[in-house]
Amino acid sequence: MIELFEKYPLIKDLNTFKRYSDLEAGMLALRDRLHVEEVARSKMNRPIYAVNAGAAESAHKILLTAANHGREDAPPLALLSIARQLAQPNRDLERLMKSVSFILLPCLDPDGYDLRGVKCVDPIGNTEIREEYSESSWEDVNAVWCRADEFLPPETRALKKYLLELHVSLALDLHETLFYRPSLRFQLPPQWRFYPNSFEVTVIEFIPESQRDLGESVGASIVENLKRSYYVPRKVSNLGRFLRKIFVPLPQTITKGEGREISGPLLTEFRKGRMVLSDWLTLSTGIPSFTFESFLSPLDYRVGAHIAGVEGAVLAFAGLMPQAVSARQVKRIPFPKKKKFHIESAKEAMQLLGEECRMVVHRKDGRLTRERLIAWNSARRLEFRKRWLRSISVWELYS
Ligand SMILES: [Zn+2]
């Protein structure tokens, strides 16, 4: 199983990011390894950063955004943790970063992060950080992305412009469902009330018809990776592990667009068709987008859930990418058993590419892998593969 990210943060590390300046210092510390830039400024003059990692020119870009609602603290901490791991990737992640690029905006609302509130917007784009979501004519900032620019606060306008110019292929916006009601179980619709499992994560997907394969496999992979990585964390006691296996928390999924579907009881406001950042991205750029909500657990679990969800999305996305190199078989050379593969291949390479061509020999470690020789000149690149049944096949490689 490929593990791209470490998903078990320590609570004592997470607790060091009390203020936005702590988060900012964490992002700026990555500047010597990753590209960190200021892309907008908040009303109270706090910078909003984007962190870029991976193949800069790649056409395969993943956008990760968090703290659209500033008071939701697990998502920015999860993105900071991911950014740090992108700066010091493990071997699998490093390989993946050669073809995929990541754009992370760990905190879209730094003012709300510091004031522990939600940015609300009036009909002409004035903003205030408030304790609660929309009252009267003030709307929650995540509900205004589809508005015309002249009715938006300046930082949202700047962010929209920046996000549109990125041309990403996939987007995840990370959130939390923070209200805590001890009696929640008894406020659930009747069919869920006596269900033993709890819903700790909601995945809201919006998949345009043209991207159905990508969108559906990313959605399924997010849920799979959550079940695999997050729901039975390593660090709990055996009893805790056992209890969590019995009362398996279920990821709730909400599918937007046509065929709208909700698999659980939370976030019923989505039944009303509220349009948020992810919806705006799908509607304006045609990519599949996901909103991810964690719910009720302790902070380290929630941060871990976000990292696991992102990892699931990245794994599915990378698995569906077209191969960087395609190949066409040129010819097949039979050769007698006693002759050496490399000598025969080299002779043939010089015939096909000229005597000046360059060659390298690739032999992989695992048993039963076939021998390889790659030869190239300025115009063509050929790969010689040893076949069973005493023959060599010659492939032309295109990148
Ligand atoms: Zn939120």
Side-chain angles (χ1 to χ4, degrees):
M1 191 55 232
I2 298 177
E3 283 225 33
L4 301 175
F5 302 113
E6 167 63 39
K7 294 176 282 291
Y8 303 93
L10 296 175
I11 193 79
K12 73 176 192 325
D13 294 337
L14 299 175
N15 280 341
T16 59
F17 297 96
K18 294 232 175 345
R19 313 245 344 135
Y20 184 66
S21 52
D22 303 323
L23 196 66
E24 185 181 12
M27 290 186 268
L28 293 179
L30 302 172
R31 267 183 306 188
D32 52 342
R33 286 163 175 274
L34 305 178
H35 181 67
V36 182
E37 59 176 335
E38 181 185 326
V39 292
R41 222 157 235 272
S42 73
K43 185 177 173 184
M44 297 175 200
N45 207 28
R46 293 181 178 89
I48 300 169
Y49 293 102
V51 180
N52 288 261
E57 299 303 312
S58 172
H60 309 292
K61 290 186 189 167
I62 299 179
L63 172 69
L64 303 170
T65 49
N68 203 337
H69 294 136
R71 67 173 178 180
E72 297 168 5
D73 47 2
L77 296 176
L79 285 195
L80 180 64
S81 166
I82 289 174
R84 286 174 161 179
Q85 299 186 56
L86 288 166
Q88 286 183 305
N90 67 25
R91 205 185 316 152
D92 289 326
L93 183 56
E94 191 175 7
R95 195 177 313 133
L96 189 124
M97 286 167 70
K98 293 201 172 93
S99 48
V100 177
S101 84
F102 294 84
I103 299 111
L104 282 67
L105 281 80
C107 189
L108 294 177
D109 178 17
D111 298 345
Y113 188 92
D114 265 355
L115 300 176
R116 306 278 83 198
V118 173
K119 184 157 65 180
C120 293
V121 187
D122 82 353
I124 54 166
N126 297 311
T127 60
E128 252 176 42
I129 304 292
R130 298 186 167 197
E131 259 180 51
E132 260 315 314
Y133 292 96
S134 55
E135 313 154 21
S136 65
S137 60
W138 291 75
E139 264 190 296
D140 145 31
V141 68
N142 198 23
V144 303
W145 290 89
C146 288
R147 271 193 202 174
D149 273 3
E150 60 263 43
F151 305 116
L152 286 176
E155 68 274 24
T156 308
R157 219 180 299 151
L159 286 169
K160 274 177 83 167
K161 184 166 180 292
Y162 172 78
L163 295 175
L164 282 181
E165 283 166 3
L166 289 174
H167 301 292
V168 296
S169 329
L170 181 71
L172 266 83
D173 189 31
L174 309 182
H175 283 260
E176 302 209 75
T177 310
L178 278 184
F179 56 89
Y180 178 74
R181 295 175 191 146
S183 59
L184 178 86
R185 183 161 293 279
F186 298 98
Q187 298 172 7
L188 297 178
Q191 69 268 35
W192 301 107
R193 206 164 287 170
F194 299 104
Y195 209 65
N197 313 69
S198 58
F199 292 83
E200 297 193 6
V201 164
T202 304
V203 181
I204 304 152
E205 53 187 30
F206 193 4
I207 303 168
E209 192 52 47
S210 61
Q211 299 282 317
R212 187 146 296 280
D213 286 351
L214 173 64
E216 284 181 352
S217 64
V218 167
S221 177
I222 291 174
V223 169
E224 268 317 297
N225 210 43
L226 278 169
K227 287 184 184 165
R228 187 166 50 228
S229 320
Y230 163 61
Y231 285 130
V232 187
R234 277 193 296 243
K235 63 195 170 101
V236 299
S237 65
N238 283 342
L239 177 64
R241 194 182 293 261
F242 178 67
L243 288 175
R244 254 176 114 75
K245 271 189 175 161
I246 296 176
F247 300 101
V248 187
L250 296 174
Q252 170 186 245
T253 53
I254 298 178
T255 309
K256 298 189 113 182
E258 279 176 48
R260 166 180 300 247
E261 206 174 85
I262 301 181
S263 74
L266 301 173
L267 286 170
T268 43
E269 68 195 280
F270 277 90
R271 292 173 202 276
K272 295 179 203 149
R274 186 166 162 272
M275 289 294 171
V276 295
L277 169 59
S278 302
D279 303 317
W280 168 71
L281 277 168
T282 297
L283 293 171
S284 50
T285 65
I287 58 165
S289 68
F290 295 81
T291 300
F292 188 98
E293 301 258 355
S294 54
F295 182 62
L296 286 187
S297 307
L299 181 62
D300 52 344
Y301 276 47
R302 287 183 276 134
V303 172
H306 282 280
I307 300 175
V310 168
E311 184 183 69
V314 174
L315 285 173
F317 180 73
L320 287 173
M321 269 174 16
Q323 290 294 311
V325 174
S326 56
R328 175 178 69 90
Q329 187 162 6
V330 178
K331 66 192 290 191
R332 181 178 282 240
I333 315 161
F335 77 117
K337 200 177 183 183
K338 288 281 161 57
K339 291 216 175 160
K340 288 269 193 302
F341 163 79
H342 290 118
I343 295 172
E344 284 303 303
S345 303
K347 272 192 216 159
E348 187 68 27
M350 283 190 282
Q351 274 186 17
L352 289 166
L353 299 174
E355 304 227 331
E356 309 295 297
C357 74
R358 304 186 57 195
M359 299 177 207
V360 288
V361 174
H362 278 244
R363 198 154 79 164
K364 298 198 175 147
D365 295 340
R367 287 182 303 160
L368 296 180
T369 52
R370 292 157 199 181
E371 290 176 86
R372 300 282 167 102
L373 179 140
I374 293 177
W376 70 96
N377 62 15
S378 56
R380 297 177 78 190
R381 188 175 175 86
L382 299 177
E383 182 172 311
F384 294 77
R385 299 178 191 169
K386 187 172 183 179
R387 314 291 307 186
W388 312 123
L389 304 172
R390 284 182 257 145
S391 74
I392 300 173
S393 64
V394 185
W395 296 77
E396 179 148 15
L397 305 178
Y398 306 90
S399 49

